[in-house]
């Protein structure tokens, strides 16, 4: 009798697993609730210049992508040239950073809630690839700035950001001594310097060739699974198996230990 009950329970579990519809992963392919983001990602006919890699699936509009390239953008009235003209080789990294922030649908695992007048969500600790941070710093080290954290503390009396009173314009290499400092501090920990390299599947790329596909899709999937994974003793479980088991109803999961004992 006990064996018969156990077999019946196991069959019930297997049938439930087959009938279960996978639960949507809310961390994948989503847009932030922020000032210029679309409500959901989708294709755009044409995105401007450096934002074009995201045109097949974007959280930004064509107008947003165009504004991202202007020295005095209407997006946030932010002026890159607050300490004189920013060199073009440096500015292109900040434009690419803006395109990633505005356009990418692959930042879900790092979206954080905020209480702000202009956005309800932000990104926090996005693992930016080693080369992206290092090239950004190398191309900007001789540019000038007066602040370490560009998110706050500016003088906005003229309607655009100006250096706060008493601050001095200094080379990036003094304000941000290392690539890690630039990536992590300039936008108050939106990014985290990653030791992982492009193509590793473990870090987000600001720069990529769309002809080769968007590498950040796989990265978001990995960190999404990691964020939802079981405790340390079972964290090596394959993502597919983890998802299949988690998809089972609690009523079925509760029967598993009993079935195993009876067997």
């Amino acid at each position: 009798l006990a064996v018969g009950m156990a077999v019946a329970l196991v069959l019930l579990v297997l049938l439930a697993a087959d009938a279960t519809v996978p639960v949507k992963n809310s961390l994948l392919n989503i847009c932030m609730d922020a000032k210029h983001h679309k409500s959901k990602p989708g294709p755009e006919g044409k995105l401007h210049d450096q934002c074009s890699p995201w045109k097949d699936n974007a959280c930004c509009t064509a107008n947003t992508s165009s504004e991202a390239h202007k020295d005095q953008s209407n997006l946030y009235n932010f002026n890159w040239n607050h300490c004189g003209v920013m060199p073009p080789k440096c500015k292109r990294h900040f434009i690419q950073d803006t395109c990633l922030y505005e356009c990418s649908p692959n930042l879900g695992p790092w979206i954080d809630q905020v209480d702000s007048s202009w956005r309800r969500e932000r990104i926090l600790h996005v693992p930016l690839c080693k080369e992206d941070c290092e090239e950004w710093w190398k191309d900007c080290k001789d540019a000038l700035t007066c602040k370490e954290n560009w998110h706050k503390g500016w003088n906005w009396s003229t309607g655009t950001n100006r250096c706060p009173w008493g601050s001095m314009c200094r080379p990036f290499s003094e304000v941000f001594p290392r690539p890690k400092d630039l990536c992590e501090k300039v936008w108050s920990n939106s990014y985290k310097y990653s030791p992982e390299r492009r193509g590793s599947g473990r870090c987000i790329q600001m720069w990529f060739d769309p002809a080769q596909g968007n590498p950040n899709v796989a990265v978001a999937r990995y960190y999404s699974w990691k964020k939802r994974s079981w405790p340390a003793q079972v964290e090596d479980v394959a993502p597919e198996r983890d998802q299949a088991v988690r998809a089972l109803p609690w009523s079925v999961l509760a029967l598993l230990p009993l079935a195993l004992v009876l067997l």
Side-chain angles (χ1 to χ4, degrees):
L1 179 61
V3 173
M5 290 176 61
V7 171
L9 285 169
V10 170
L11 287 174
L12 176 60
V13 168
L14 293 175
L15 287 171
D18 288 338
T20 301
V21 177
V23 177
K24 180 183 177 183
N25 189 331
S26 61
L27 298 179
L28 298 179
N29 197 39
I30 61 171
C31 300
M32 274 177 281
D33 185 356
K35 188 173 184 180
H36 300 290
H37 287 71
K38 291 157 48 175
S39 58
K40 59 182 180 180
E44 290 290 327
K46 184 181 177 69
L47 291 183
H48 187 65
D49 200 4
Q50 288 180 228
C51 293
S52 62
W54 287 275
K55 69 181 179 65
D56 292 337
N57 192 36
C59 286
C60 63
T61 63
N63 181 65
T64 297
S65 72
S66 179
E67 287 292 330
H69 290 72
K70 296 180 179 179
D71 286 345
Q72 188 63 58
S73 169
N74 288 327
L75 294 179
Y76 305 101
N77 293 322
F78 195 91
N79 181 16
W80 305 121
N81 303 319
H82 52 268
C83 276
V85 177
M86 179 181 282
K89 67 177 182 179
C90 175
K91 189 177 298 179
R92 72 189 189 98
H93 290 277
F94 282 98
I95 292 172
Q96 194 74 2
D97 156 50
T98 303
C99 288
L100 175 69
Y101 172 78
E102 300 288 352
C103 303
S104 177
N106 310 123
L107 301 175
W110 304 280
I111 289 178
D112 195 47
Q113 304 297 311
V114 290
D115 183 14
S116 169
S117 61
W118 55 281
R119 61 180 180 179
R120 294 182 180 179
E121 294 179 333
R122 61 164 292 187
I123 49 173
L124 188 66
H125 300 148
V126 174
L128 204 60
C129 292
K130 179 183 176 71
E131 298 96 327
D132 290 71
C133 282
E134 292 180 348
E135 290 174 11
W136 192 355
W137 185 87
K138 179 182 177 182
D139 287 341
C140 290
K141 63 184 176 65
D142 297 325
L144 301 177
T145 186
C146 54
K147 281 181 52 56
E148 182 181 74
N149 187 341
W150 288 16
H151 259 156
K152 57 186 180 181
W154 296 98
N155 176 354
W156 288 95
S157 60
T158 61
T160 188
N161 60 301
R162 298 176 64 187
C163 292
W165 184 86
S167 63
M168 294 179 59
C169 292
R170 297 181 292 150
F172 268 54
S173 57
E174 292 183 16
V175 179
F176 308 106
R178 303 168 299 167
K180 175 182 173 72
D181 297 316
L182 173 59
C183 278
E184 296 185 355
K185 294 179 179 180
V186 70
W187 298 126
S188 58
N189 298 303
S190 291
Y191 297 121
K192 181 179 180 180
Y193 175 85
S194 173
E196 301 288 351
R197 294 186 174 274
R198 294 173 187 161
S200 66
R202 299 293 183 266
C203 61
I204 291 291
Q205 296 181 206
M206 279 203 317
W207 300 88
F208 63 89
D209 179 2
Q212 305 298 318
N214 183 345
N216 296 331
V217 174
V219 178
R221 187 179 297 118
Y222 169 76
Y223 282 98
S224 172
W225 166 72
K226 190 174 181 181
K227 193 169 185 177
R228 297 179 297 105
S229 65
W230 290 2
Q233 63 267 27
V234 290
E235 64 183 9
D236 291 332
V237 175
E240 295 80 7
R241 182 179 175 187
D242 177 54
Q243 291 168 0
V245 175
R246 282 178 172 268
L248 295 175
W250 282 109
S251 58
V252 175
L253 289 173
L255 295 175
L256 276 172
L258 178 59
L260 293 173
V261 168
L262 290 174
L263 283 174

